[in-house]
Amino acid sequence: MSIKLCQSCQIINLEKILDPRGNLTFIEGNKHIPFEIKRVFYLYDVPGGSNRAGHSLKKCQQFLIAMSGSFDVIIDDGFQKQRYHLNRSYYGLYISPLMWREIDNFSSGSVCMALASELYEESDYYRDYQDFFKAVQVSR
């Protein structure tokens, strides 16, 4: 089940199997999220007050989950911004291509796991906001 918050981003609730010994959540590509998972990485030990991301991806889709603690993801489509607070391991934020993202407000001990639709390729990144903004203008 998903909650649509903007056209290209959405919180996706994942199945939670309750068990007195500890709960379990799982993710299957092309079933729970709308892409095949080709890469997994995670952010951790982020110093207080630091920001991460600060880029957009040309073709890669991502799904971000707060595996521990919490953080905020700011999504910018070139026209408007929206902030999402992630703080549970049984839901995450789907981010489509051509969305500028920044991550901040990390709590102590937080872990951000990212599932990606593509292998890492530097040429897939817009790291300069003005380059991203020009690309968004052309694509609309």
Side-chain angles (χ1 to χ4, degrees), residues 82-132:
Q82 187 163 358
R83 180 178 290 266
Y84 300 87
H85 183 69
L86 299 181
N87 64 353
R88 297 285 185 260
S89 58
Y90 51 83
Y91 66 81
L93 177 62
Y94 168 75
I95 306 172
S96 69
L98 283 180
M99 299 297 284
W100 189 267
R101 79 280 322 269
E102 296 181 20
I103 308 173
D104 68 6
N105 197 28
F106 287 89
S107 69
S108 178
S110 62
V111 177
C112 170
M113 183 172 70
L115 309 178
S117 67
E118 306 296 327
L119 299 176
Y120 176 79
E121 188 177 325
E122 180 58 32
S123 63
D124 191 39
Y125 284 71
Y126 287 112
R127 296 196 185 273
D128 179 82
Y129 187 84
Q130 291 307 314
D131 292 340
F132 157 73

Side-chain angles (χ1 to χ4, degrees), residues 5 68 114 138:
L5 298 175
S68 179
V138 169

Side-chain angles (χ1 to χ4, degrees), residues 23-40:
N23 300 331
L24 181 133
T25 293
F26 59 95
I27 303 166
E28 296 176 1
N30 289 322
K31 182 175 180 183
H32 301 107
I33 57 175
F35 59 84
E36 177 186 344
I37 302 164
K38 292 189 179 175
R39 180 168 55 111
V40 177

Side-chain angles (χ1 to χ4, degrees), residues 8-103:
S8 298
C9 303
Q10 59 182 306
I11 295 291
I12 298 176
N13 290 307
L14 302 168
E15 186 173 346
K16 184 167 57 170
I17 299 171
L18 303 175
D19 188 303
R21 301 168 298 162
N23 300 331
L24 181 133
T25 293
F26 59 95
I27 303 166
E28 296 176 1
N30 289 322
K31 182 175 180 183
H32 301 107
I33 57 175
F35 59 84
E36 177 186 344
I37 302 164
K38 292 189 179 175
R39 180 168 55 111
V40 177
F41 62 93
Y42 45 96
L43 305 170
Y44 58 97
D45 294 340
V46 178
S50 294
N51 295 347
R52 293 298 311 244
H55 62 264
S56 176
L57 297 165
K58 297 174 186 176
K59 63 181 178 181
C60 185
Q61 302 169 73
Q62 289 186 335
F63 186 67
L64 305 181
I65 305 166
M67 298 305 294
S68 179
S70 65
F71 51 86
D72 291 347
V73 182
I74 301 97
I75 298 297
D76 180 343
D77 66 1
F79 300 95
Q80 63 181 353
K81 292 182 182 183
Q82 187 163 358
R83 180 178 290 266
Y84 300 87
H85 183 69
L86 299 181
N87 64 353
R88 297 285 185 260
S89 58
Y90 51 83
Y91 66 81
L93 177 62
Y94 168 75
I95 306 172
S96 69
L98 283 180
M99 299 297 284
W100 189 267
R101 79 280 322 269
E102 296 181 20
I103 308 173

